[in-house]
Amino acid sequence: MITAGITAFPVCHHFYLINYSPNQPQSTNNPYLCRQTPHHMSEKILVIGANGQIGTELVAALREINGADAVIASDLKSPVYNMRKNSGPYEIVNVLDKDNLHHIFDKHQPTQVYLLAAILSAVGEQKPRMAWDLNMAGLLHVLDFAVEFKVEKVFWPSSIAVFGPHSPQYDTPQYCVMDPNTVYGFSKLAGERWCEYYFTKYGLDVRSLRYPGLIGWRANPGGGTTDYAVHIFHQALKTGQYECFLSADTALPMMYMDDAIRATVALMNAPADSVNIRSSYNLAGISFTPAQLANEIKKHIPDFEISYAENDPRQAIADSWPKSIDDSYAQKDWDWTPGYDLPKMVEDMLVNLKDIV
């Protein structure tokens, strides 16, 4: 699972972080980064939920762009290995603890906040009240403090889980019937409405993306319905076999994490008057089935075998989601285009995981 714009920087016409390394030292020769100016040096970017699958990648990218000291990583627990190694400010933060969260805002006076803390779809169905409380109350706390402390920009991720069984399944449009049937889905849909409300009522510059399933090699997934598309690579390299919890022909929208980070940064770098959607933008990468993914892996690992479990509860969740996404608004408003297709993603995953697994 994997993700990329920040107003503080003059935006390069083609801003790519596809090949960045979280362990790469700062370099003025890096072709992907724009030159900093004194104003950029004053950015203070708070990332909440930094230990997660997106957070570990995003913190590394933001620190490479803005400098390590400008990005405050935070999570419920101590920093993961990559965060310790790539040192920079770190705080223990619980978004449900208003006093603790208020203290962090007051201490750091962030100019930008990325709220990534959430309970995902599959885990959310096991702990529905906890998922609702974390996903909703956490967002409202951050929005309130962003208004109070005059934060310039807030990023909050939504998901394709906002769509439901009556949404169009192919090329699902930006605006359509949305009847999610999971706690994760309707917490994200409610969150979208709150984000637009805070923009309209308080002028808070909130920006959001409806992420598809995210696939990456640098961090483990966090309990979502699309996690098979990461697990399959680990098992292919470890054992040459994988039992998939979704059926062979379950098509879902997916995205390589490098593209997701790049899209996040691109949206946050876009001029405010180009951001015409304040609920959340549809975002598309690649759509494929487990069988198609397995066949692509077999081109690199010919003996790889896949089997399919029956009656997994995640199948019902996947069946209610879109099979492909129309992201024409993102293309038009801030020039979004993905960089990875299925063969390129599979090759990159296997190359990077082979020395880790």
Side-chain angles (χ1 to χ4, degrees):
M1 315 286 205
I2 324 200
T3 69
I6 303 188
T7 359
F9 275 78
V11 184
C12 301
H13 184 64
H14 295 294
F15 187 93
Y16 293 105
L17 281 170
I18 288 177
N19 295 315
Y20 87 89
S21 164
N23 301 323
Q24 178 180 331
Q26 296 282 330
S27 169
T28 54
N29 297 320
N30 191 327
Y32 299 120
L33 305 182
C34 303
R35 184 183 303 275
Q36 295 187 10
T37 70
H39 172 70
H40 305 146
M41 300 303 287
S42 65
E43 285 292 326
K44 279 295 179 185
I45 301 170
L46 174 63
V47 181
I48 302 170
N51 283 349
Q53 185 193 18
I54 298 172
T56 52
E57 304 276 354
L58 186 60
V59 167
L62 292 176
R63 283 179 173 168
E64 187 174 2
I65 297 165
N66 297 276
D69 290 342
V71 181
I72 303 100
S74 67
D75 209 303
L76 265 177
K77 298 178 181 176
S78 298
V80 294
Y81 174 71
N82 274 350
M83 299 245 180
R84 294 196 298 269
K85 191 172 181 182
N86 290 289
S87 64
Y90 192 93
E91 297 278 4
I92 302 295
V93 169
N94 179 354
V95 289
L96 297 182
D97 183 339
K98 288 191 75 171
D99 290 340
N100 166 234
L101 189 61
H102 191 274
H103 168 71
I104 296 301
F105 272 75
D106 189 42
K107 176 181 177 181
H108 293 285
Q109 300 288 322
T111 57
Q112 299 181 38
V113 176
Y114 292 73
L115 172 58
L116 306 176
I119 292 180
L120 303 185
S121 57
V123 175
E125 293 308 287
Q126 299 164 19
K127 302 173 180 178
R129 288 298 297 270
M130 183 185 297
W132 174 261
D133 290 344
L134 175 62
N135 296 353
M136 271 298 80
L139 172 60
L140 289 170
H141 291 166
V142 168
L143 292 175
D144 283 340
F145 293 149
V147 172
E148 177 182 345
F149 288 93
K150 298 179 172 56
V151 173
E152 293 175 12
K153 283 187 283 190
V154 174
F155 177 81
W156 173 81
S158 189
S159 164
I160 59 169
V162 296
F163 301 111
H166 293 93
S167 304
Q169 286 205 312
Y170 293 92
D171 291 327
T172 306
Q174 177 71 40
Y175 300 106
C176 63
V177 171
M178 301 166 78
D179 57 344
N181 54 12
T182 64
V183 177
Y184 179 64
F186 54 75
S187 70
K188 286 297 185 183
L189 181 54
E192 288 189 9
R193 308 318 311 146
W194 278 117
C195 287
E196 188 167 68
Y197 181 82
Y198 271 71
F199 170 74
T200 303
K201 187 171 180 67
Y202 302 108
L204 182 63
D205 188 348
V206 189
R207 306 181 183 199
S208 179
L209 296 170
R210 291 173 181 156
Y211 287 129
L214 299 180
I215 303 168
W217 56 270
R218 294 184 183 92
N220 292 322
T225 301
T226 56
D227 287 359
Y228 88 86
V230 177
H231 298 153
I232 191 172
F233 288 99
H234 289 257
Q235 292 305 309
L237 289 165
K238 281 182 186 174
T239 67
Q241 306 177 20
Y242 178 64
E243 183 179 58
C244 184
F245 53 77
L246 298 182
S247 66
D249 59 351
T250 303
L252 286 170
M254 299 284 193
M255 179 172 283
Y256 198 38
M257 189 63 82
D258 288 28
D259 270 350
I261 298 295
R262 185 169 57 87
T264 306
V265 174
L267 173 62
M268 290 293 276
N269 269 337
D273 59 5
S274 295
V275 181
N276 296 310
I277 292 173
R278 293 297 180 161
S279 51
S280 191
Y281 276 94
N282 273 8
L283 188 68
I286 324 160
S287 287
F288 55 80
T289 67
Q292 289 171 326
L293 179 55
N295 287 336
E296 195 63 39
I297 291 173
K298 285 180 183 180
K299 294 178 183 177
H300 301 267
I301 307 174
D303 294 334
F304 173 65
E305 295 180 358
I306 188 169
S307 58
Y308 300 93
E310 295 183 3
N311 302 317
D312 191 288
R314 288 167 286 194
Q315 183 66 52
I317 298 175
D319 289 341
S320 73
W321 287 357
K323 300 183 185 302
S324 59
I325 296 289
D326 174 2
D327 64 357
S328 52
Y329 281 90
Q331 296 174 35
K332 175 172 61 73
D333 288 358
W334 40 277
D335 297 326
W336 164 246
T337 183
Y340 282 82
D341 58 12
L342 182 58
K344 185 178 179 183
M345 181 197 73
V346 168
E347 181 178 12
D348 202 62
M349 282 289 288
L350 293 172
V351 164
N352 283 292
L353 280 175
K354 74 178 191 302
D355 296 326
I356 298 173
V357 172

